[in-house]
Amino acid sequence: SEAQRRVEDVREGTSGRLTIGASSTAATYVLPALLRRFRVENPNVELRVHTGVSSRIGEQVLRNEVDAGVVMDFPGHPDITALGLAEYAMCLVVYPDHPFASRYKEGGISQGTLEGEALIVMEPGTNLRAFVERVLSSAGIAGQISLELDNVEAIKKMIEARLGISLLPYVAVREEAITQRLVALPLNDLPNASRAISVIYRRDKYLFGSLRHFVDLLQTELHTVMSPSSSTPFSQR
């Protein structure tokens, strides 16, 4: 298959099929704009995107079921090349009339205020759940888990229904924060309150034309999209 792709690269330039794996967060909130640009620049490439939790995407990369993956908090693997692309801010997400929204000051929310709050979290086994548990544990917070869900969109709806609050990547709630359906508050004294996003592929993978262009696009554009400066200002009420 790789030999055929090498020949096609020489004969036709960038064409053929590109199969990407992406975590649910990346697929929903990060990739659409980037894939639109990729499509404009590579109109002859057939794109396929498979979504799932980051650990599953890593397995698909190893099995060569996808050409590359875009994942969060990749732990590393000896047979996988991982290119760190950016880190993006996490935030505390509350509904507009939550007491935290009116008490928010320039300094953000401190870790002590989260004690005893009803938290809405992702299901166990997901990177986002592990991240939230790690942040809360390192800060000594014993938050009460109110709901467990399997996707970020559902979590946002539950927050809007005033069933609790959550720690989410700002990129996932940017639209709701701008329209003031939700309030996104910075975490001013929680350690490591950011997540890393990486593109991964097998170390022995031949970077055929469209795959090479995809990786280059991520490296040149994603830092701009996901940099901390583009994740602010947070909603202020």
Side-chain angles (χ1 to χ4, degrees):
S1 175
E2 290 189 355
Q4 182 178 1
R5 279 172 163 165
R6 288 174 186 261
V7 172
E8 290 174 348
D9 277 352
V10 173
R11 183 182 62 199
E12 301 178 9
T14 303
S15 61
R17 176 186 300 163
L18 177 63
T19 304
I20 301 300
S23 71
S24 298
T25 299
T28 304
Y29 307 109
V30 178
L31 285 184
L34 295 172
L35 291 181
R36 181 172 63 246
R37 175 166 175 177
F38 179 86
R39 174 59 56 82
V40 170
E41 297 176 353
N42 303 272
N44 297 322
V45 175
E46 176 189 344
L47 279 171
R48 292 187 177 182
V49 179
H50 299 277
T51 63
V53 297
S54 291
S55 59
R56 180 187 170 202
I57 300 303
E59 294 170 358
Q60 291 179 321
V61 167
L62 284 173
R63 294 194 297 264
N64 247 339
E65 295 173 357
V66 299
D67 297 311
V70 182
V71 295
M72 310 300 172
D73 299 330
F74 184 66
H77 190 282
D79 297 324
I80 290 179
T81 294
L83 303 177
L85 300 171
E87 292 190 357
Y88 62 93
M90 296 288 289
C91 60
L92 179 68
V93 184
V94 304
Y95 42 90
D97 56 357
H98 189 281
F100 286 172
S102 59
R103 285 164 45 193
Y104 170 66
K105 302 295 183 184
E106 184 64 28
I109 295 297
S110 64
Q111 60 188 35
T113 60
L114 299 181
E115 187 73 36
E117 285 290 325
L119 297 178
I120 304 175
V121 297
M122 287 285 287
E123 63 185 354
T126 60
N127 272 8
L128 184 53
R129 172 65 176 270
F131 175 87
V132 170
E133 289 179 343
R134 186 166 64 249
V135 168
L136 295 180
S137 175
S138 64
I141 298 171
Q144 175 185 346
I145 294 179
S146 174
L147 285 173
E148 290 182 355
L149 295 163
D150 63 359
N151 68 86
V152 172
E153 286 297 306
I155 290 178
K156 293 191 295 184
K157 293 298 183 183
M158 296 301 175
I159 299 173
E160 288 187 43
R162 291 158 175 72
L163 293 173
I165 64 178
S166 187
L167 292 169
L168 295 173
Y170 179 76
V171 66
V173 297
R174 181 162 39 197
E175 180 178 344
E176 289 83 0
I178 291 173
T179 59
Q180 298 188 354
R181 289 159 50 199
L182 294 172
V183 179
L185 307 176
L187 304 170
N188 65 345
D189 62 351
L190 286 182
N192 303 317
S194 63
R195 297 186 69 200
I197 182 169
S198 303
V199 58
I200 61 175
Y201 51 86
R202 283 178 59 106
R203 290 195 183 276
D204 59 359
K205 187 75 174 178
Y206 168 58
L207 296 185
F208 54 92
S210 58
L211 176 56
R212 185 174 61 253
H213 288 182
F214 177 74
V215 172
D216 289 346
L217 178 64
L218 290 178
Q219 289 185 292
T220 57
E221 296 296 326
L222 194 53
H223 178 73
T224 301
V225 174
M226 302 299 291
S227 66
S229 61
S230 68
S231 295
T232 56
F234 289 88
S235 297
Q236 301 183 32
R237 297 183 65 83

